[in-house]
Amino acid sequence: MSTNQRPRLNTTTEESGGDSSSSSGILDERILLLVFGSIQWDVRALCATASVSRKLRAVANRLLWREVCAYRAPRMMEALTSSGSSSRIGGGWHALAKLLFFCSGCDSTRHFRMGQSCPGHLVKASRFSKTSGRSFLARKCRNDLLFVSDPCEHPRGSHADDDLGIYRGVFRGFMKSRTRACLIARQVELEERVRCPFCGSRVWSMTAARLVPRTAAKRLGSQDGGLEYFVCVNGHMHGACWLIPLSSDEAESDKEVDGDGDSSDDGGDDDDNCGTRRSVGADGIGVRNGPAA
């Protein structure tokens, strides 16, 4: 369903024959749209609302998370839903919303070793770019559309080279993508111990599949072999890397922002527990930690 197409709204009112004593206005979807629109689709408020009851969680999963995505990252949502049925949102809108606003954290995997695990957390703002996404696609898969976030930076010690970068992304129409076709053709097995942090589905290791191009490390500002990322059966991507420290000149030299990117903001006032840095490379991009357009 395109973000420009509005689903039919259900109203729990006396007009529908419901009992006014048991059919609270809080379940009226029109009222919910007005309420969350008035608070600029605050993500924390929606999380709290969805946890109140099964009915509210169902309404949030069917309607409200979709509206959050469209409000917070309109250009990205337009691109992801621009090809009709091939752009069905795999895993549902609630999973996509989680991908927009949640840094998944990181644990050691067979191809990426680290000491202490890094927990996930809500982020205050993120920026996704399809230009960055192209750097993560193998040459034969460059026609796929993949949005990837700037790495969320987690200091891991007293030295800059201990910094951990955690990133995430999403494919458009993954079921018909060249990336999925390559994974199937190579008979890459799904990981046994890793699950998608956004929808809970099983994942492929792109490292095990030997589908990690060198441009991925260059885009992230990491060393070759110092990263790993996974793609789930619904087309969600998550990964981690060790970040090369930037000099002060590098950190301030590039202020340009890609025109194809989109930023998402959770609407909260609390600072998150991570930072972001400019990606390193010939086409390095600036990071914009501002409200969504």
Side-chain angles (χ1 to χ4, degrees):
M1 179 185 294
S2 168
T3 55
N4 294 323
Q5 296 175 319
R6 293 291 182 254
R8 184 176 179 180
L9 300 178
N10 294 326
T11 56
T12 311
T13 63
E14 293 180 0
E15 294 178 355
S16 63
D19 181 2
S20 60
S21 62
S22 61
S23 302
S24 171
I26 197 173
L27 294 177
D28 188 321
E29 293 177 4
R30 299 182 191 276
I31 293 177
L32 288 170
L33 290 174
L34 290 172
V35 169
F36 282 103
S38 70
I39 59 175
Q40 299 183 338
W41 294 97
D42 183 270
V43 174
R44 289 175 174 82
L46 183 48
C47 287
T49 301
S51 66
V52 170
S53 69
R54 290 183 179 179
K55 289 184 178 180
L56 281 172
R57 183 162 56 253
V59 173
N61 289 346
R62 188 180 71 84
L63 174 66
L64 301 181
W65 286 121
R66 175 180 172 278
E67 295 295 326
V68 169
C69 293
Y71 180 84
R72 293 294 178 186
R75 288 178 295 174
M76 181 176 170
M77 295 306 109
E78 182 179 0
L80 290 175
T81 59
S82 63
S83 298
S85 60
S86 65
S87 295
R88 184 180 65 85
I89 301 300
W93 287 99
H94 62 291
L96 182 57
K98 186 175 182 179
L99 185 147
L100 287 180
F101 304 109
F102 185 73
C103 171
S104 60
C106 183
D107 292 305
S108 288
T109 64
R110 56 187 175 131
H111 297 294
F112 189 83
R113 297 295 180 182
M114 53 184 293
Q116 185 178 2
S117 297
C118 180
H121 61 90
L122 282 175
V123 296
K124 185 175 181 180
S126 298
R127 185 175 179 279
F128 291 79
S129 168
K130 60 186 178 184
T131 299
S132 294
R134 281 194 289 271
S135 300
F136 290 81
L137 296 171
R139 187 179 300 274
K140 63 179 68 175
C141 304
R142 290 290 168 85
N143 288 333
D144 292 346
L145 179 59
L146 170 65
F147 280 90
V148 175
S149 72
D150 294 321
C152 179
E153 183 179 337
H154 295 254
R156 303 295 289 171
S158 58
H159 302 290
D161 56 2
D162 290 328
D163 289 352
L164 175 69
I166 300 174
Y167 48 96
R168 57 208 192 276
V170 58
F171 282 83
R172 179 179 70 182
F174 181 68
M175 292 299 292
K176 296 184 178 181
S177 68
R178 286 289 302 160
T179 298
R180 181 179 182 275
C182 286
L183 290 166
I184 299 298
R186 295 187 180 197
Q187 299 182 333
V188 181
E189 294 185 358
L190 293 164
E191 294 292 300
E192 291 292 336
R193 298 185 178 182
V194 182
R195 298 280 175 164
C196 176
F198 309 113
C199 67
S201 299
R202 299 187 69 181
V203 302
W204 288 283
S205 167
M206 301 302 281
T207 304
R210 303 182 68 180
L211 287 174
V212 178
R214 292 188 176 183
T215 50
K218 187 176 181 181
R219 170 60 70 175
L220 290 166
S222 181
Q223 294 181 345
D224 237 359
L227 73 156
E228 182 174 29
Y229 54 95
F230 302 89
V231 175
C232 82
V233 296
N234 287 317
H236 304 137
M237 188 194 89
H238 73 283
C241 65
W242 295 114
L243 295 169
I244 298 174
L246 298 179
S247 68
S248 57
D249 290 339
E250 286 177 316
E252 297 176 1
S253 62
D254 193 346
K255 301 294 184 181
E256 184 180 353
V257 177
D258 282 344
D260 67 352
D262 214 338
S263 62
S264 58
D265 184 352
D266 72 355
D269 296 325
D270 296 335
D271 291 335
D272 53 36
N273 295 321
C274 68
T276 51
R277 66 169 66 190
R278 180 180 60 82
S279 298
V280 177
D283 58 347
I285 61 173
V287 175
R288 180 162 54 106
N289 283 333

